[in-house]
Amino acid sequence: MRITDILFPPKCVACGKVTEGEYLCADCEKKYRDMCGERCRRCGKPHIDCRCNKIAPADVALHLFEYKSDFSKRLIFALKRKNSRRLRDFLAVECKKAIFSAITDIEGFSDCVLTYVPRSREGISEYGFDQSKELCGKISKLTGIPAATLFAHRAHFRKQKVLTSDERKENAEMAYVPAKNAKAPYKVIIIDDVSTTGSTLSACSKLARKLGAGFVCVVTVASSQ
């Protein structure tokens, strides 16, 4: 056992219970696997293999689990607000599985980059980190797919969570712009934490197209669509 494990014992990324090094304790592991094993109500496939979500103009939209249970909301809340390296490490491994499940859709990972939906400046100032950027970087290291910053968040826009569906779409269209000197290869995979109305991911997918992408895939940890 390492001295750091004694001083700072590894804890379950969901409930905080001390573990033997695992990301999840036994109880939370079962909850997580049961949640991910749920079937899409439309196609009957597990969420990681489901292609029912449509976020125009993206070609493919993937997610690990539905954003509906208390357990799923606890994970996303922690991802957004707690600067937990272990949680991001765990979810990066899970997102890698989703990305590789889409290798046929994407027709391989040549001429491809990973990018992310940037957090607002206010959000970074409040919490001290950009969760989607950090998650994207970890997925890049696991998959070997290069990461690039393609989008920027303009300052002083309203938070999406306080808006109606129509307001979210309009707000997202104005909130995101191309990053300085950004240029996209043919294939772009956009990483984000959660998709609710899909407005933000739709806006960023449009930007990716304008920057030169011919194929756009979005990957989120959770989706409520």
Side-chain angles (χ1 to χ4, degrees):
M1 180 179 290
R2 297 176 301 178
I3 187 67
T4 53
D5 290 340
I6 298 174
L7 296 175
F8 306 102
K11 297 181 179 180
C12 173
V13 298
C15 71
K17 185 185 298 182
V18 174
T19 71
E20 295 298 319
E22 299 88 353
Y23 287 117
L24 294 168
C25 67
D27 290 341
C28 289
E29 175 77 20
K30 184 178 186 308
K31 289 179 183 178
Y32 180 80
R33 297 304 166 194
D34 288 346
M35 180 173 67
C36 291
E38 291 177 354
R39 302 272 171 165
C40 170
R41 292 181 291 273
R42 285 171 281 181
C43 69
K45 295 179 180 179
H47 291 294
I48 198 171
D49 296 318
C50 172
R51 303 291 185 270
C52 292
N53 282 355
K54 305 298 180 185
I55 300 177
D59 296 282
V60 182
L62 309 173
H63 61 281
L64 301 178
F65 51 79
E66 280 193 305
Y67 184 64
K68 64 175 184 178
S69 66
D70 289 342
F71 187 76
S72 68
K73 292 177 180 178
R74 191 190 316 158
L75 283 177
I76 296 300
F77 181 88
L79 178 62
K80 284 179 175 290
R81 301 196 177 193
K82 296 181 180 180
N83 196 359
S84 169
R85 177 187 57 81
R86 274 175 55 81
L87 176 57
R88 289 194 294 266
D89 285 348
F90 169 69
L91 292 175
V93 171
E94 297 299 300
C95 285
K96 175 187 174 182
K97 296 175 186 177
I99 290 171
F100 277 90
S101 83
I103 193 168
T104 301
D105 305 84
I106 298 173
E107 297 182 354
F109 298 129
S110 61
D111 196 21
C112 179
V113 297
L114 290 168
T115 192
Y116 58 93
V117 176
R119 193 170 210 167
S120 68
R121 298 175 194 176
E122 292 82 2
I124 294 174
S125 177
E126 182 175 359
Y127 298 110
F129 65 102
D130 184 329
Q131 76 278 13
S132 294
K133 180 179 181 179
E134 296 288 341
L135 183 61
C136 179
K138 290 184 178 295
I139 296 170
S140 176
K141 290 179 180 178
L142 288 173
T143 61
I145 303 170
T149 298
L150 297 184
F151 318 123
H153 195 295
R154 297 170 68 184
H156 309 306
F157 272 81
R158 299 165 70 189
K159 292 183 178 180
Q160 290 286 83
K161 66 182 180 181
V162 303
L163 305 177
T164 65
S165 179
D166 288 341
E167 288 173 335
R168 285 187 179 204
K169 183 177 180 180
E170 182 179 356
N171 192 62
E173 293 282 351
M174 295 187 295
Y176 298 94
V177 294
K180 186 177 181 180
N181 299 323
K183 185 178 180 181
Y186 182 75
K187 302 169 193 173
V188 171
I189 302 174
I190 304 173
I191 305 297
D192 202 9
D193 49 18
V194 61
S195 172
T196 49
T197 65
S199 297
T200 295
L201 287 161
S202 178
C204 289
S205 296
K206 290 177 183 177
L207 285 178
R209 297 281 194 199
K210 290 179 181 178
L211 290 170
F215 184 97
V216 179
C217 172
V218 301
V219 178
T220 59
V221 176
S223 173
S224 63
Q225 289 187 288

